[in-house]
Amino acid sequence: MPELPEVETIKRTLINKVSGRTIKSINISLSRLIKWPTPEQFKAQLRGQKIVTLHRRGKYLLFELTDNLMLIVHLRMTGRLYYMPSSEPDDKYTRVVFNLDNGDRLLFSDTRTLGTLYLMPGDELWRISGLFNLGPEPLSADFTIEYFSSILKKRQSKIKAILLNQSLIGGLGNIYVDESLAIAGIHPERAAASLNDEEIVRLYESINSVIAKGIEDGGTTFRDYRDAEGKSGSHQYHLYVYGRKGEPCRKCGATIEYKTVAGRGTHYCPFCQH
DNA sequence: CGCTCGGCCTGTGCGC
DNA sequence: TGCGCACAGGCCGAGC
């Protein structure tokens, strides 16, 4: 479900609530989501740990704990992290509960159960290949126009597939890729290497601006996504193409089309994206 | 090495 | 209304 702006929003709505809290106990109702170490070790090692702070890298959330431990959470398609006051009940899809020292709880909820959790020392993060191989993120200092240009110029794959590849650029997903391409006026099936310098700059700027706007709007809520307080984002009201199949393009009025590109449902304007 | 595709899961919404 | 099928903010591993 969530992409960089949604995970960033969860981080921002959670960091002040959990920082300084100690995890008293853990309830696991679906143990296969715990990928490292074993669920028993996961519980035993987490018990009594204090949460120092919270980080985000790409679509991963990293809870920095005392004793050099890191709790890593990936929400995949439908995962949610909720901060729940002790008075409120769990939701139906709660899979892991972290009981905190103030009586409140941190819930990991997930309908499709594709989410993943890990616990390991901070110097063993290489065990998580998706995290270890993550490329530079939009809006970060290492996501330069030179870097972006260099990864496009040597690849014949469709531009959409390149933008979705987390080892090349960290944090983009299906919504923000479709939006970036629409804003830049580039067709999702173009070979990456076929983009000229002017198109590369346009796409680079579109990616950065749409991610910044997504964060500013608190993410995009289509169905599952909520922040750590259970609130929806508002970027769905500003989308150019995603979820707008059959509706008029905001730029030219042509009908937004939908087809599968790079294995994903893809929305685009057949008139203004070349 | 680079890339594409199927599989992992459950729920929902659409067309017939 | 009921049913079946396609599809859903993601990623990994197999196979070419």
Side-chain angles (χ1 to χ4, degrees):
Chain A
M1 89 170 181
E3 309 179 30
L4 191 160
E6 289 73 37
V7 180
E8 177 64 22
T9 302
I10 292 170
K11 179 198 151 185
R12 291 183 183 187
T13 50
L14 198 51
I15 187 165
N16 291 333
K17 297 181 193 298
V18 297
S19 295
R21 294 264 74 90
T22 295
I23 299 170
K24 301 295 280 185
S25 62
I26 302 95
N27 301 330
I28 301 174
S29 52
L30 189 58
S31 59
R32 65 175 158 77
L33 305 189
I34 311 298
K35 301 302 177 181
W36 188 274
T38 67
E40 293 70 29
Q41 291 170 326
F42 183 90
K43 280 203 268 194
Q45 291 173 24
L46 260 183
R47 200 172 302 125
Q49 286 288 330
K50 184 194 253 189
I51 299 170
V52 177
T53 189
L54 178 56
H55 307 272
R56 180 192 57 75
R57 182 82 175 89
K59 302 172 195 171
Y60 290 86
L61 282 166
L62 299 91
F63 293 81
E64 184 183 334
L65 310 170
T66 42
D67 295 349
N68 186 37
L69 273 178
M70 283 283 194
L71 166 66
I72 300 104
V73 177
H74 197 302
L75 304 168
R76 297 289 182 109
M77 296 290 261
T78 53
R80 295 176 174 185
L81 274 173
Y82 285 133
Y83 185 88
M84 291 293 246
S86 50
S87 56
E88 292 184 37
D90 294 3
D91 85 347
K92 185 179 168 186
Y93 300 103
T94 296
R95 312 300 187 185
V96 181
V97 180
F98 304 90
N99 298 298
L100 305 175
D101 57 350
N102 61 352
D104 294 347
R105 296 153 302 151
L106 177 63
L107 305 188
F108 178 81
S109 163
D110 191 355
T111 54
R112 286 174 69 184
T113 72
L114 297 170
T116 49
L117 298 93
Y118 309 78
L119 179 68
M120 58 187 62
D123 54 5
E124 288 183 22
L125 297 182
W126 53 265
R127 293 183 188 283
I128 307 171
S129 64
L131 177 59
F132 188 69
N133 295 319
L134 211 53
E137 299 184 12
L139 303 176
S140 73
D142 49 354
F143 183 62
T144 61
I145 185 68
E146 291 78 19
Y147 171 78
F148 186 56
S149 183
S150 74
I151 61 171
L152 300 193
K153 289 198 165 169
K154 55 189 171 198
R155 277 164 232 267
Q156 286 303 320
S157 302
K158 291 168 182 168
I159 184 65
K160 171 145 184 175
I162 301 298
L163 299 184
L164 285 171
N165 185 333
Q166 302 297 297
S167 70
L168 298 176
I169 304 169
L172 294 178
N174 207 33
I175 292 179
Y176 294 98
V177 164
D178 280 6
E179 291 298 295
S180 300
L181 289 166
I183 293 164
I186 293 164
H187 196 284
E189 293 181 294
R190 283 278 296 283
S194 76
L195 272 64
N196 65 34
D197 288 346
E198 188 233 333
E199 290 172 322
I200 290 171
V201 170
R202 233 161 55 211
L203 183 54
Y204 175 79
E205 290 173 350
S206 301
I207 290 168
N208 282 330
S209 65
V210 82
I211 291 297
K213 181 77 168 107
I215 293 171
E216 190 186 316
D217 289 340
T220 304
T221 297
F222 246 81
R223 42 179 78 80
D224 298 292
Y225 166 71
R226 298 291 184 281
D227 70 18
E229 297 169 338
K231 294 186 188 133
S232 297
S234 65
H235 193 66
Q236 62 275 19
Y237 303 119
H238 305 289
L239 296 171
Y240 280 81
V241 291
Y242 188 88
R244 300 193 63 244
K245 174 188 176 186
E247 295 175 38
C249 174
R250 297 194 196 286
K251 291 189 196 171
C252 74
T255 303
I256 301 300
E257 291 188 1
Y258 175 88
K259 71 192 290 194
T260 299
V261 178
R264 310 295 300 277
T266 300
H267 313 73
Y268 64 102
C269 173
F271 187 80
C272 41
Q273 291 180 248
H274 312 285

